[in-house]
Amino acid sequence: MAIPPITARDVGRMAGVHPSTVSRVLNRAFDHHRYAPDTVQRIHDAATKLGYQPSAVARAMRTGKSMTLGLVVSDIANPFFGELTSHIERHVLARGYRLMICNTWENPDLQADFLADLIARGVDGLLVTPAGAEGLDKARDAGLPVVTIDRQTSHAKLPHVGLDNIQAGRLLGQQLRHHGCQRIGIMMVIAGHDAMLSNRIKGLRDIFDDDDIVWIETMHPTGSHHEASQRVLARLSDMSQPRPDAVVGLTNHSTLGAYQAIRSLGLSIPDDIGLAGVDDFAAAALLSPPVSVVAQPLEQIAIAAADLLLQSLHDSDPSPQPELLPGTWVERSSL
Amino acid sequence: MAIPPITARDVGRMAGVHPSTVSRVLNRAFDHHRYAPDTVQRIHDAATKLGYQPSAVARAMRTGKSMTLGLVVSDIANPFFGELTSHIERHVLARGYRLMICNTWENPDLQADFLADLIARGVDGLLVTPAGAEGLDKARDAGLPVVTIDRQTSHAKLPHVGLDNIQAGRLLGQQLRHHGCQRIGIMMVIAGHDAMLSNRIKGLRDIFDDDDIVWIETMHPTGSHHEASQRVLARLSDMSQPRPDAVVGLTNHSTLGAYQAIRSLGLSIPDDIGLAGVDDFAAAALLSPPVSVVAQPLEQIAIAAADLLLQSLHDSDPSPQPELLPGTWVERSSL
DNA sequence: TTGAAAGCGCTACCAC
DNA sequence: GTGGTAGCGCTTTCAA
């Protein structure tokens, strides 16, 4: 057990050179001409024979760069974030970076803890889907590039990449109208104090008057789609209000919950009531009927965010201009 | 920008003590009586005033412990692994550990790369849902505790926690029988060269004769449920074979694909044909009809695996006895 | 009870 | 072209 790891010293000894030479030769693979070909050869041989892996810890200590990025995400169990994470990882990996992933479960204090810890661990930059503003300023003050994804924080104006929520809301509204909906009910999950959902609603309000929005039901972000379902159920069972022509879910959990509520009421979609949402999810295409949604350009968002961060690792200042990507309508048959 | 971080030296200077004293006092919080109360006070004051965060990198370098665990997972975008990850993270976090998460996308070579890199980064232990045996021996040889989850590797006998696949297959078979099924078709996703699926089938074979298994359709693990759907479609459309009473999916993607195929054929579940699977997934309860499955005790698996690893960080040798947890039947209405 | 020194493994710099 | 030295920030001896 506990085999002592091979160090540059060991390689140097075997190749008959000084450790610093080992380091130079191994790191600048394309400067071979500057060293005696024989030396280079011996070093490479020794390194492979010994299975030398430079200690990333020591390297990070010395260079101040860990080649690691921190990803602070709301809930990795939510496929939305899982996919986002997956795209981000693939992208930064290709550029030589690794990811440290932390789950905040929408807890702002935990987020602050994670950020502080990631900084202490020497990450080179931070990607965050904020659960609040907590800890973000400190990260920026520490001189670390930070890019927010999916949600924008209210105060700190950090570089941001995400869905154009107003456009998404408007697109959803247009489609609702196009399918003849007059009155809608909205189910949403409120996450932190961000502008995401209010913007989606703002877009919707560009198309629907206040009077046409029968109700807006909210829920805490830690709840599941079961809870969302309860809320919608209560709304639809309340006979003192007119029934909306359609229910819209502003997040994937909300839409799923709304679907479940409508079905459990024995209502038929779209004949009795329509359903649509923002955020696509695997099950949407498989429900009966398949549910139409505004889909986020997840991969583009992931790539744009990663690129923005990677770029600001080298250049000094990233544009504080939010990069807002448009959603696309995925027509299925729920309206 | 690039604010120089606070070091123990800075704290020491402000408190008028040597950095080593700062370290001792701050680390052994419950040995206060061994130091002059006044010194302790000044150090704490200085540390909080300066916002001192010890560098985890330097600490890892010195102590050889990074308080970080590596999690090498097949596909974080698959909610099964997303949830597993989430449980694991919560559990190890409570014990002071962080997670470095790597996605192999079922690529054994990538797995080997990740493992080597994780070792170089000084992780204290490894949790792996193997996509193959690649790199696992090397990790163990390096003296790192390794625990495999979900799938067992064929050769390396590593400590393992996962579903009791034979039991799960048998349970599924029993339920199929109980609902009157005589002949079944099986859809599965083959992942690596592990025993997981063959064990699920073995359990099924305890209940069904070979003749009662009309067909077994396989697919590569990188495929989506769409591909699974194609396969099942082809099987069910093949009129030269008898149609099974039920289709069973051996993974969540398979079951989803099978559902889609059956529906697109206009067949009704369970009247025309039954459907069931191993692995629960969010959509299973929402499909029409809801799909019955053998569910994995995900949280228990996560906790047991994390505990096993954590324990072998301190004690020397973990039991090489696989810890097999039973699946439970979730009755819905697809049989 | 505290200070001083050493050293984890690496790489940047300065000699030669 | 290559060796030597220093030092990243921490913790762990050993001395006092």
Side-chain angles (χ1 to χ4, degrees):
Chain A
M1 316 267 115
I3 274 70
I6 310 298
T7 72
R9 216 156 159 271
D10 301 321
V11 178
R13 185 160 31 222
M14 174 175 271
V17 297
H18 196 270
S20 64
T21 305
V22 174
S23 170
R24 267 171 304 186
V25 168
L26 256 27
N27 286 324
R28 291 198 274 281
F30 297 109
D31 287 8
H32 281 178
H33 48 280
R34 297 190 41 193
Y35 305 95
D38 176 52
T39 306
V40 171
Q41 188 57 255
R42 287 198 328 274
I43 291 177
H44 275 117
D45 288 352
T48 45
K49 181 168 302 178
L50 294 174
Y52 172 61
Q53 280 294 143
S55 155
V57 178
R59 180 176 286 172
M61 173 96 169
R62 176 69 239 239
T63 63
K65 259 84 203 60
S66 63
M67 298 304 281
T68 302
L69 269 20
L71 174 61
V72 178
V73 86
S74 317
D75 179 14
I76 195 78
N78 183 334
F80 175 84
F81 293 113
E83 259 188 69
L84 186 70
T85 301
S86 161
H87 289 304
I88 291 174
E89 199 207 13
R90 185 170 44 210
H91 196 71
V92 302
L93 191 66
R95 273 134 190 96
Y97 285 85
R98 287 294 144 95
L99 238 37
M100 285 221 57
I101 304 171
C102 300
N103 245 318
T104 63
W105 293 284
E106 304 290 357
N107 181 338
D109 295 326
L110 201 50
Q111 168 176 304
D113 289 350
F114 278 135
L115 289 172
D117 186 78
L118 287 169
I119 296 168
R121 279 164 199 268
V123 297
D124 298 335
L126 255 7
L127 253 10
V128 188
T129 67
E134 280 83 349
L136 252 14
D137 305 355
K138 209 167 293 179
R140 235 259 296 267
D141 292 349
L144 275 185
V146 180
V147 171
T148 62
I149 313 182
D150 187 48
R151 314 170 188 169
Q152 290 188 70
T153 46
S154 25
H155 19 299
K157 345 190 188 328
L158 265 7
H160 177 264
V161 178
L163 179 68
D164 182 341
N165 287 301
I166 298 186
Q167 177 269 348
R170 200 178 292 138
L171 177 56
L172 180 56
Q174 285 160 348
Q175 292 292 336
L176 254 3
R177 276 279 185 238
H178 181 252
H179 286 83
C181 297
Q182 310 284 357
R183 293 190 314 264
I184 60 174
I186 300 174
M187 173 69 220
M188 60 189 253
V189 168
I190 43 164
H193 298 98
D194 69 292
M196 176 174 91
L197 295 167
S198 57
N199 277 338
R200 292 184 185 174
I201 289 183
K202 188 181 293 180
L204 236 20
R205 283 199 205 277
D206 284 352
I207 313 294
F208 286 88
D209 292 335
D210 284 2
D211 293 345
D212 297 335
I213 298 177
V214 184
W215 45 258
I216 296 183
E217 186 63 59
T218 64
M219 179 186 108
H220 275 281
T222 45
S224 63
H225 62 266
H226 296 110
E227 189 182 340
S229 172
Q230 304 295 340
R231 302 307 191 87
V232 175
L233 210 53
R235 285 296 193 173
L236 294 181
S237 310
D238 177 0
M239 290 312 175
S240 69
Q241 284 178 326
R243 171 176 294 163
D245 299 331
V247 176
V248 333
L250 254 32
T251 65
N252 56 5
H253 281 334
S254 307
T255 310
L256 212 47
Y259 172 86
Q260 199 173 29
I262 295 171
R263 297 296 306 217
S264 74
L265 242 23
L267 262 25
S268 129
I269 303 173
D271 297 337
D272 296 328
I273 193 168
L275 175 65
V278 179
D279 282 358
D280 201 3
F281 50 101
L286 299 165
L287 299 174
S288 306
V291 177
S292 305
V293 296
V294 173
Q296 297 208 28
L298 255 186
E299 185 168 8
Q300 286 178 53
I301 290 175
I303 292 179
D307 276 343
L308 188 55
L309 183 63
L310 256 16
Q311 176 191 323
S312 52
L313 291 182
H314 309 296
D315 313 5
S316 45
D317 256 321
S319 76
Q321 197 87 48
E323 207 167 313
L324 264 22
L325 273 22
T328 55
W329 180 249
V330 180
E331 172 84 27
R332 296 202 259 249
S333 36
S334 61
L335 282 184
Chain B
M1 320 258 111
I3 274 70
I6 310 297
T7 72
R9 218 157 157 268
D10 301 322
V11 177
R13 185 160 30 218
M14 174 175 272
V17 298
H18 196 269
S20 65
T21 305
V22 174
S23 171
R24 269 172 303 190
V25 169
L26 257 27
N27 285 325
R28 292 199 273 281
F30 297 109
D31 286 8
H32 281 177
H33 48 281
R34 297 189 41 193
Y35 304 95
D38 176 53
T39 305
V40 171
Q41 188 57 255
R42 285 196 330 271
I43 290 177
H44 275 117
D45 288 352
T48 45
K49 181 168 302 179
L50 294 173
Y52 172 61
Q53 280 294 145
S55 155
V57 178
R59 180 176 287 172
M61 173 96 169
R62 176 67 236 243
T63 63
K65 261 82 202 62
S66 63
M67 300 303 281
T68 302
L69 269 20
L71 174 61
V72 178
V73 85
S74 316
D75 179 15
I76 195 78
N78 183 334
F80 175 85
F81 293 112
E83 258 189 69
L84 186 71
T85 300
S86 162
H87 289 304
I88 291 174
E89 199 209 11
R90 185 170 44 213
H91 197 71
V92 302
L93 191 66
R95 274 134 188 94
Y97 285 85
R98 288 295 144 94
L99 237 38
M100 285 221 54
I101 304 171
C102 301
N103 245 317
T104 63
W105 292 282
E106 306 289 358
N107 180 340
D109 296 326
L110 201 50
Q111 168 176 304
D113 289 349
F114 278 135
L115 289 171
D117 185 78
L118 253 9
I119 296 168
R121 279 164 199 269
V123 296
D124 298 336
L126 255 6
L127 253 10
V128 187
T129 66
E134 281 83 348
L136 251 15
D137 305 354
K138 207 167 295 180
R140 235 260 295 267
D141 293 348
L144 276 186
V146 180
V147 171
T148 61
I149 312 181
D150 186 48
R151 314 169 186 168
Q152 289 189 71
T153 47
S154 24
H155 19 299
K157 343 188 188 330
L158 265 5
H160 177 264
V161 177
L163 180 67
D164 182 342
N165 288 301
I166 297 185
Q167 177 269 349
R170 201 178 292 138
L171 178 55
L172 181 55
Q174 285 160 348
Q175 291 293 336
L176 255 3
R177 276 277 186 243
H178 181 253
H179 285 84
C181 297
Q182 310 282 358
R183 294 189 314 263
I184 60 173
I186 299 174
M187 172 70 221
M188 60 189 253
V189 168
I190 43 162
H193 298 98
D194 69 292
M196 175 175 92
L197 295 167
S198 57
N199 277 338
R200 291 184 185 174
I201 288 182
K202 189 181 293 178
L204 236 20
R205 283 198 205 277
D206 284 351
I207 314 294
F208 287 88
D209 292 334
D210 283 2
D211 294 343
D212 297 335
I213 298 177
V214 185
W215 46 259
I216 296 183
E217 186 63 60
T218 65
M219 177 185 109
H220 275 282
T222 45
S224 63
H225 63 264
H226 296 110
E227 188 181 342
S229 172
Q230 305 294 339
R231 302 306 192 87
V232 175
L233 211 52
R235 285 294 194 176
L236 292 182
S237 310
D238 178 1
M239 291 312 176
S240 69
Q241 284 178 324
R243 171 177 294 165
D245 299 331
V247 177
V248 333
L250 253 34
T251 65
N252 56 5
H253 282 333
S254 307
T255 310
L256 213 46
Y259 172 87
Q260 199 172 29
I262 295 171
R263 297 296 306 218
S264 74
L265 242 24
L267 261 26
S268 131
I269 304 172
D271 296 336
D272 298 327
I273 192 167
L275 175 66
V278 179
D279 283 358
D280 202 3
F281 51 101
L286 300 165
L287 299 174
S288 305
V291 177
S292 304
V293 295
V294 173
Q296 299 207 29
L298 254 186
E299 185 167 8
Q300 286 177 56
I301 290 176
I303 291 179
D307 276 342
L308 188 55
L309 182 64
L310 256 15
Q311 177 191 323
S312 52
L313 291 181
H314 309 296
D315 312 6
S316 46
D317 257 322
S319 76
Q321 197 87 48
E323 206 168 312
L324 264 20
L325 273 21
T328 55
W329 180 248
V330 180
E331 172 84 26
R332 293 201 260 249
S333 35
S334 61
L335 283 184

